[in-house]
Amino acid sequence: MEEARIVFNSEGFRQILLSEGCKELVEQVTNEICDKANANNSRGGQFDSSVQVGGYGGGRWIGFVSANDKQACIAQSEDLALTRALS
């Protein structure tokens, strides 16, 4: 029986991770988490989302959700508005 050999194509994976399709998927999930965090927020203020290319492993799309004011920070620290949005 002939032995199979798998060759890891780093450039191919890099192209996939930086593709427009991956960006759209990361944006979709990031926006969903942000929307849930805002729905969990009864203290006012707002959570915002953004997507950018990170440098880990040669680069990939990374989504961020963060509080943009004091009220949203309090909603996270006391009510776990963002943390609860992850489950």
Side-chain angles (χ1 to χ4, degrees):
M1 181 185 228
E2 193 172 316
E3 198 174 298
R5 181 181 162 112
I6 298 174
V7 177
F8 188 84
N9 183 337
S10 295
E11 181 56 29
F13 279 105
R14 184 177 174 291
Q15 288 176 8
I16 291 169
L17 291 172
L18 290 173
S19 71
E20 194 61 31
C22 276
K23 179 184 180 187
E24 290 171 5
L25 181 60
V26 171
E27 281 180 332
Q28 176 188 346
V29 172
T30 302
N31 290 337
E32 288 173 5
I33 293 168
C34 186
D35 291 344
K36 288 178 185 177
N38 282 316
N40 292 337
N41 180 2
S42 61
R43 296 183 180 263
Q46 190 76 21
F47 290 92
D48 291 325
S49 64
S50 64
V51 175
Q52 65 186 44
V53 174
Y56 178 77
R60 62 185 68 191
W61 292 106
I62 300 174
F64 297 91
V65 177
S66 58
N68 75 356
D69 58 18
K70 183 176 180 177
Q71 289 78 20
C73 287
I74 293 170
Q76 169 53 24
S77 66
E78 295 186 14
D79 304 330
L80 302 178
L82 178 54
T83 302
R84 289 186 296 123
L86 298 173
S87 57

